[in-house]
């Protein structure tokens, strides 16, 4: 066993309740910032509010809001997650080697949330920065009211993609069931393709990378009310 | 000309005509600030019944009347302790100028109460100015971060507002300055329409998990409030309390706003008077009225309104518009500016335009300069003190040494309508003629058919 392995704090989540798990993380964090969380059985609210440089490997599934409101964390979850994984992440990285429920990476502000499998509805809702990567398909209304940042969907996107987005960009490799209101498709240039490759490849999700992506951006028609655009506004207001 | 041509028309009133003409120009609904303007049943229809021979009043100068108020005693390790049961409601930096936010913080600190952030996150100056600061957790999550959350003295999950229950925040492009845009991660000058629902939870079951999340982030230290615009108050308060809230904030339909769709403000939700009654009933029904504190807001104008709300079961009240008025909103000093905006002092509700002549609801440096933080904060503090004194005056006259001892027996209804809503006996009726507040409550319909009225 090398020194790093010895320094890893192991917690058996089966033995502890949510409060005890998070309290153990908080009290140990400063001195021993590397954790192995074993036997995760879908508990909610694990690892929330961590703002110290730290790393976590989670074996099993986590419930809602896993690692919400964090900064500077490196997380690898070997399982599925419930709703709102990585909510409001400021910086760092959360990799889910499984599927995610609704609202993956809501209000993301920085760093990367990467889901190897599929993500449910409203993935990347209200994203304000950072990158959300979905290896599989993304559900209904993904990227709704996105403000900044990047969403990459390697599979297909459900209806309402990017609805009412203010800004930011969504790249989709597969099919788009239906674009959301006030969006348009832009051509992808080579440097953008390279940037996607750079973001995706560390997660070994899709090799080789799909040869094309479509880039969805805000059409900006809802940025200011215009009575001449009433047909659009009727759906948005 | 025959007289008939100039007689007033009850259907097509000047207001209705103006509204239609304005909408014909705009091509959309009207948006405006301030809050509801039409009359709804209110605290004005209740009177306080002071001591006589049945009770002994307290001496104004000698006998103390306690105003201390504690919020968040249910689960939080550090409940909020206020010197007076009047808090400053959440109003965003963006809707308000930074000077206005600072003035509110300083005033609240001076009188020993809390103030609240808003839809735009927490500004460091606001944190510095406010000894007790409640951090709003809203659907849009603008500027939200773990550091501000952990710096807060309480967290308020905003489900909705009384001025627009079921509607989202609005901040029109004139107020999305470069700074506000950067803080909210929005394009500069965009018409901001905040989402109506939270991005990552939907109903009461998820809310319970969400509340646990916020407790875990803040180490179970600070109280978690849930704010709800008054609509199905009884059910909503029950669900919020069951989901684990420490404090429920109910904002009646009179609730103020910086910008709302006018029809939502005027025609949705229920009045604060009815809301406090339903909310109290819900907590009592659950047996949680001693554990979960109730804050009532929406059209609270004075210590009198506040005392009546407390008598009906609230632990504290919260004010928005009254605090803005105290600091200079609608000040006749700016009559010229008001006229140039097509309004008058005492009638302005143009907060959505970003051209607030008093420098309160604007991001325009020209107007912002007009608000002197020291003067404004002193005026708000004076007003908050006046509210506390008014409440104490009423409580003492009822023989109460603590304003939290005011209760339903200290009130009478002036109108039948108010009596039906509140269960408070109509003046001239003995209490046992009115069954609505007794444990064996009979429905209003039964009361009427039995001819008890
Ligand atoms: C200028 C202004 C801005 C407001 N901004 C918010 C906000 O950001 N979040 C919120 O929950 N409520 C907001 N409100 C509503 C208040 O928190 C509060 O519910 C309301 O003002 C209470 O009614 P009152 O103004 O009659 O006292 C705002 C109100 C005003 C007047
Ligand atoms: S004076 Fe300013 S704060 Fe007051 S109603 Fe007018 S615009 Fe709003």
């Amino acid at each position: 066993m090398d020194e790093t392995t010895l320094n890893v704090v192991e917690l058996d989540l089966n033995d502890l309740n949510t409060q005890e798990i998070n309290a153990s993380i908080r009290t140990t964090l400063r001195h021993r910032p590397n954790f192995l969380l074993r036997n995760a059985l879908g508990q909610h609210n694990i690892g929330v509010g961590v703002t110290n440089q730290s790393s976590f490997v989670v074996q099993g599934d986590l419930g809602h809001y896993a690692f919400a409101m964090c900064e500077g964390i490196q997380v690898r979850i070997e399982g599925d997650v419930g709703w709102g994984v990585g909510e409001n992440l400021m910086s760092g990285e959360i990799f889910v080697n499984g599927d995610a429920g609704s609202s993956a990476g809501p209000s993301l502000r920085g760093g990367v949330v990467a889901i190897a499998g599929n993500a449910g509805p409203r993935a990347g809702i209200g994203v304000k920065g950072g990158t959300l990567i979905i290896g599989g398909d993304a559900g209904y209304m993904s990227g709704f009211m996105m403000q900044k940042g990047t969403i990459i969907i390697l599979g297909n996107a459900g209806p309402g993609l990017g609805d009412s987005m203010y800004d930011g960009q969504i790249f989709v490799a597969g099919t788009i069931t239906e674009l959301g209101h006030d969006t348009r498709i832009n051509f992808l240039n080579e440097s953008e393709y390279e940037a996607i490759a750079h973001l995706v490849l560390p997660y070994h999700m899709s090799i080789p990378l799909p040869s094309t992506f479509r880039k969805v951006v805000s059409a900006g028609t809802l940025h200011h009310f215009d009575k001449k655009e009433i047909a659009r506004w009727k759906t948005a207001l | 000309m025959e007289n008939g041509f100039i007689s007033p028309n009850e259907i097509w009133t000047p207001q209705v005509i103006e509204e239609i003409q304005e909408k014909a120009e705009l091509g959309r609904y009207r948006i405006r600030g301030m809050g509801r303007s039409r009359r709804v049943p209110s605290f004005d229809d209740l009177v306080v019944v002071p001591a006589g021979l049945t009770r002994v009043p307290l001496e104004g100068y000698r006998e103390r009347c306690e105003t201390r108020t504690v919020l968040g005693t249910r689960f939080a390790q550090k409940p909020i302790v206020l010197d007076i049961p009047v808090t400053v409601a959440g109003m965003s930096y963006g809707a308000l100028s930074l000077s206005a936010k600072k003035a509110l913080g300083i005033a609240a600190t001076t009188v020993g109460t809390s103030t609240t952030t808003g839809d735009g996150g927490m500004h460091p100056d606001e944190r510095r100015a406010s000894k007790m600061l409640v951090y709003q957790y809203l659907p849009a999550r603008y500027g939200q971060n773990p550091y501000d959350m952990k710096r807060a003295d309480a967290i308020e999950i905003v489900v909705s507002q009384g001025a627009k229950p079921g509607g989202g925040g609005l901040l029109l492009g004139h107020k999305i300055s470069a700074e506000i845009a950067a803080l909210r991660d929005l394009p500069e000058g965009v018409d901001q329409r905040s989402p109506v629902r939270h991005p990552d939870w939907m109903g009461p079951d998820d809310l319970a998990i969400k509340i646990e999340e916020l407790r875990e982030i803040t180490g179970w230290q600070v109280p978690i409030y849930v704010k709800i615009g008054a609509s199905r108050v009884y059910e909503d308060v029950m669900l919020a309390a069951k989901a684990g809230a420490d404090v429920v904030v109910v904002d009646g339909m009179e609730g103020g706003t910086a910008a709302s769709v006018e029809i939502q403000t005027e025609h949705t939700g229920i009045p604060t008077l009815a809301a406090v009654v339903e909310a109290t009933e819900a907590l009592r029904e659950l047996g949680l009225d001693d554990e979960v504190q109730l804050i009532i807001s929406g059209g609270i104008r004075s210590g009198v309104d506040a005392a009546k709300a407390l008598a009906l079961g609230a632990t504290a009240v919260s004010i928005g518009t009254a605090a803005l008025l105290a600091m200079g909103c609608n000040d006749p000093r700016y009559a010229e500016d008001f006229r140039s905006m097509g309004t008058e002092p005492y009638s302005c509700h143009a907060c959505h335009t970003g051209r607030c002549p008093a420098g309160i609801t604007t991001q325009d440096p020209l107007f912002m300069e007009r608000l002197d933080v020291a003067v404004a904060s002193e005026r708000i503090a004076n007003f908050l003190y006046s509210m506390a004194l008014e409440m104490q005056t009423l409580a003492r006259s009822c023989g109460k040494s603590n304003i939290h001892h005011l209760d339903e027996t200290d009130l009478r209804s002036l109108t039948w309508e108010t009596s039906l809503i509140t269960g408070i006996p109509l003046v001239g009726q003995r209490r046992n003629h009115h069954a609505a507040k007794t444990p064996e409550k009979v429905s209003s319909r039964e009361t009427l058919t039995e001819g008890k009225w």
Side-chain angles (χ1 to χ4, degrees):
Chain A
M1 234 183 240
D2 64 18
E3 205 182 322
T4 10
T5 326
L6 279 174
N7 263 332
V8 169
V9 180
E10 258 190 67
L11 296 177
D12 188 332
L13 303 200
N14 207 7
D15 296 340
L16 306 164
N17 65 32
T18 304
Q19 220 175 324
E20 289 165 341
I21 296 164
N22 287 325
S24 302
I25 292 172
R26 267 199 304 273
T27 47
T28 334
L29 201 57
R30 249 165 254 233
H31 318 289
R32 298 174 68 196
N34 305 312
F35 292 83
L36 172 64
L37 309 183
R38 292 192 294 106
N39 282 324
L41 295 168
Q43 292 95 329
H44 301 305
N45 299 322
I46 301 302
V48 296
V50 174
T51 50
N52 298 65
Q53 297 291 323
S54 49
S55 78
F56 297 83
V57 173
V58 182
Q59 293 172 345
D61 303 327
L62 288 180
H64 291 7
Y65 316 126
F67 296 95
M69 301 290 293
C70 290
E71 165 128 58
I73 52 169
Q74 298 292 321
V75 180
R76 184 181 178 93
I77 300 167
E78 292 294 345
D80 301 328
V81 290
W83 291 19
V85 61
E87 171 199 347
N88 215 106
L89 181 72
M90 306 292 291
S91 69
E93 184 183 32
I94 300 172
F95 175 58
V96 180
N97 202 8
D99 297 325
S102 279
S103 316
S107 206
L108 183 66
R109 297 195 66 192
V112 180
V113 173
I115 317 290
N118 300 317
R122 299 184 295 276
I125 182 168
V127 161
K128 295 168 175 62
T131 306
L132 171 68
I133 305 170
I134 296 159
D137 299 337
Y140 171 77
M141 293 286 258
S142 289
F144 175 63
M145 280 201 157
M146 180 178 185
Q147 296 174 221
K148 274 183 186 165
T150 304
I151 299 177
I152 301 168
I153 301 167
L154 296 168
N156 307 315
L161 182 72
D163 197 290
S164 306
M165 61 194 287
Y166 289 98
D167 207 347
Q169 46 199 359
I170 307 177
F171 299 104
V172 186
T175 59
I176 298 171
T177 311
E178 175 205 77
L179 279 176
H181 297 295
D182 199 27
T183 50
R184 65 186 159 83
I185 295 196
N186 259 10
F187 289 109
L188 193 76
N189 61 39
E190 206 163 304
S191 69
E192 283 171 327
Y193 186 84
E194 273 164 27
I196 295 173
H198 180 75
L199 284 163
V200 169
L201 288 179
Y203 303 102
H204 304 286
M205 281 184 200
S206 176
I207 301 170
L209 196 67
S211 56
T212 56
F213 282 87
R214 270 169 302 166
K215 178 182 174 184
V216 179
V217 294
S218 170
T221 52
L222 299 181
H223 283 194
H224 299 281
F225 176 78
D226 182 350
K227 58 190 167 192
K228 297 190 187 75
E229 297 268 7
I230 194 68
R232 279 179 192 284
W233 277 89
K234 247 169 58 191
T235 54
L237 286 176
Chain B
M1 200 182 273
E2 286 177 49
N3 269 349
F5 289 118
I6 53 163
S7 62
N9 190 318
E10 292 290 326
I11 302 171
W12 307 104
T13 60
Q15 286 86 349
V16 172
I17 293 170
E18 189 216 338
E19 194 179 326
I20 290 175
Q21 288 176 344
E22 194 177 337
K23 286 191 271 195
E25 178 59 32
L26 287 170
R28 60 160 166 79
Y29 42 62
R30 298 206 293 189
I31 293 172
R32 66 144 217 255
M34 263 258 173
R36 181 205 46 80
S37 59
R38 73 199 175 101
R39 195 193 125 70
V40 291
S42 79
F43 292 114
D44 284 345
D45 299 327
L46 289 172
V47 284
V48 174
V49 282
L53 281 179
T54 56
R55 294 173 190 190
V56 184
L58 299 187
E59 288 293 352
Y61 296 103
R62 293 188 183 82
E63 290 172 323
R64 274 188 63 80
C65 179
E66 186 58 71
T67 56
R68 187 174 175 272
T69 302
V70 186
L71 300 171
T73 53
R74 190 182 189 188
F75 294 119
Q77 283 167 25
K78 290 186 193 157
I80 295 240
V81 183
L82 309 172
D83 288 343
I84 63 167
V86 185
T87 69
V88 177
M91 292 180 274
S92 72
Y93 169 46
L96 296 189
S97 63
L98 187 55
S99 304
K101 283 302 272 176
K102 284 197 273 193
L104 290 168
I106 295 168
T109 304
T110 307
V111 304
T113 190
S114 63
T115 185
T116 313
T117 63
D119 209 7
M122 183 193 287
H123 193 285
D125 288 356
E126 180 183 26
R127 178 61 277 191
R128 273 191 288 275
S130 318
K131 183 160 176 262
M132 285 176 272
L133 184 58
V134 181
Y135 186 58
Q136 285 202 327
Y137 183 81
L138 296 120
R141 314 267 167 98
Y142 297 128
Q144 185 177 282
N145 67 72
Y147 305 103
D148 289 345
M149 189 173 274
K150 290 179 188 179
R151 264 194 284 270
D153 300 292
I155 314 280
E156 180 170 295
I157 301 177
V158 179
V159 177
S160 54
Q161 267 176 254
K164 43 186 166 185
L170 266 178
L171 198 63
L172 299 183
H174 339 274
K175 291 172 91 169
I176 306 284
S177 63
E179 191 187 342
I180 299 298
L183 282 172
R184 297 186 181 209
D185 294 302
L186 287 169
E188 193 177 334
V190 75
D191 285 343
Q192 170 219 297
R193 294 159 288 121
S194 304
V196 177
R197 295 196 304 258
H198 280 261
D200 51 6
W201 65 273
M202 287 278 185
D205 295 343
D206 321 331
L207 175 61
I209 304 169
K210 188 45 83 179
I211 289 176
E212 185 193 55
E213 179 203 329
L214 300 178
R215 288 200 194 284
E216 288 292 323
I217 293 169
T218 53
W220 292 74
Q221 298 286 304
V222 303
I224 310 287
Y225 302 5
V226 174
K227 175 177 179 175
I228 312 165
S231 52
R232 290 176 185 81
V233 177
Y234 179 78
E235 292 81 0
D236 283 345
V237 169
M238 274 202 167
L239 291 168
K242 282 206 139 187
D246 293 302
V247 175
V248 182
V249 183
V250 179
D251 193 24
M253 76 177 288
E254 296 94 318
T257 175
S260 176
V261 175
E262 190 178 60
I263 47 137
Q264 277 184 320
T265 305
E266 294 291 349
H267 299 282
T268 65
I270 69 163
T272 305
L273 176 74
V276 63
V277 174
E278 283 195 41
T280 303
E281 222 169 283
L283 293 176
R284 284 181 186 157
E285 184 90 355
L286 288 175
L288 287 176
D289 48 326
D290 282 340
E291 260 180 66
V292 175
Q293 285 79 44
L294 173 66
I295 300 180
I296 285 290
S297 60
I300 302 287
R301 302 154 299 177
S302 63
V304 181
D305 286 346
K308 290 172 184 173
L310 262 60
L312 289 172
T315 316
V317 298
S318 203
I319 58 164
T321 306
L324 306 189
L325 288 163
M327 80 168 101
C329 158
N330 268 290
D331 190 330
R333 239 185 326 164
Y334 305 116
E336 278 304 300
D337 294 291
F338 287 122
R339 279 177 203 129
S340 76
M341 293 160 72
T343 181
E344 291 284 336
Y346 308 112
S347 306
C348 179
H349 48 67
C351 316
H352 63 294
T353 63
R355 290 172 56 207
C356 173
I360 299 168
T361 53
T362 182
Q363 300 303 320
D364 184 331
L366 215 68
F367 294 123
M368 282 197 294
E369 248 176 33
R370 293 183 180 177
L371 191 74
D372 181 319
V373 175
V375 174
S377 58
E378 193 182 331
R379 291 181 60 85
I380 305 163
N382 288 343
F383 177 69
L384 287 166
Y385 281 134
S386 81
M387 284 185 77
L389 289 172
E390 286 173 349
M391 294 172 84
Q392 284 177 308
T393 303
L394 291 175
R396 281 202 189 95
S397 72
C398 292
K400 306 284 166 93
S401 58
N402 186 319
I403 49 176
H404 295 290
H405 295 167
L406 284 166
D407 62 29
E408 288 106 330
T409 63
D410 297 312
L411 299 174
R412 290 291 182 277
S413 298
L414 286 177
T415 65
W416 184 340
E417 173 190 68
T418 305
S419 180
L420 264 181
I421 292 170
T422 59
I424 302 294
L426 186 64
V427 285
Q429 305 287 310
R430 278 183 297 122
R431 185 169 176 77
N432 59 5
H433 279 192
H434 194 292
K437 273 283 158 193
T438 62
E440 310 75 28
K441 173 179 166 180
V442 288
S443 77
S444 326
R445 188 170 298 155
E446 271 175 285
T447 316
L448 286 170
T449 48
E450 284 166 20
K452 286 184 179 168
W453 291 86

